[in-house]
Amino acid sequence: MADDSAGEFVVNVDKDLKDLIPMFMENRSSDIGNFKEMLKNDNFDEIEELAHKIKGSGGSYGFDRMTELAREIEKAAECRNEDRIAELIAEFEEHLNKVEIVYE
């Protein structure tokens, strides 16, 4: 569950997933660069496909806000809404920069 009341995000993750999370987060950081490049090249179908993948994996690990943002990016890509996609990519990047992971 995310808590953004203090401007930060806290994500509770099962301690059994601890070894997988660093690579998961590294991949999501790479996704930001990929999203930006795809948007620059108007590759809306690719943005939609990547957002769909993130939507599924984010939820699997307990990153609910990441899943929500990916869902919104996917919808914006379907509509070819460049401005909205750019806003959401920025939110996604901010989330990754601020997320605090707590292992339970």
Side-chain angles (χ1 to χ4, degrees):
M1 188 67 67
D3 175 14
D4 62 347
S5 60
E8 294 188 41
F9 299 89
V10 176
V11 176
N12 297 314
V13 176
D14 187 311
K15 65 183 176 205
D16 293 338
L17 300 174
K18 189 173 185 174
D19 291 341
L20 301 175
I21 296 302
M23 181 60 74
F24 173 78
M25 295 301 287
E26 186 177 315
N27 289 339
R28 299 304 68 84
S29 291
S30 295
D31 291 338
I32 292 168
N34 292 335
F35 274 139
K36 289 178 180 179
E37 187 67 23
M38 291 171 191
L39 183 59
K40 186 173 85 171
N41 294 311
D42 295 329
N43 291 333
F44 297 106
D45 291 338
E46 290 179 30
I47 293 169
E48 188 177 340
E49 184 178 316
L50 180 56
H52 184 79
K53 289 178 185 175
I54 295 169
K55 184 176 69 173
S57 63
S60 298
Y61 289 108
F63 289 82
D64 296 336
R65 179 66 182 145
M66 187 181 297
T67 298
E68 291 170 19
L69 289 167
R71 182 180 297 114
E72 290 183 46
I73 292 169
E74 184 180 23
K75 288 179 185 176
E78 288 174 14
C79 298
R80 310 299 197 240
N81 187 338
E82 290 180 50
D83 292 338
R84 183 67 179 138
I85 294 168
E87 289 173 15
L88 291 165
I89 292 170
E91 285 184 47
F92 191 88
E93 186 170 23
E94 180 181 19
H95 176 72
L96 284 180
N97 289 334
K98 291 185 175 182
V99 72
E100 179 185 340
I101 301 167
V102 177
Y103 295 99
E104 300 182 321

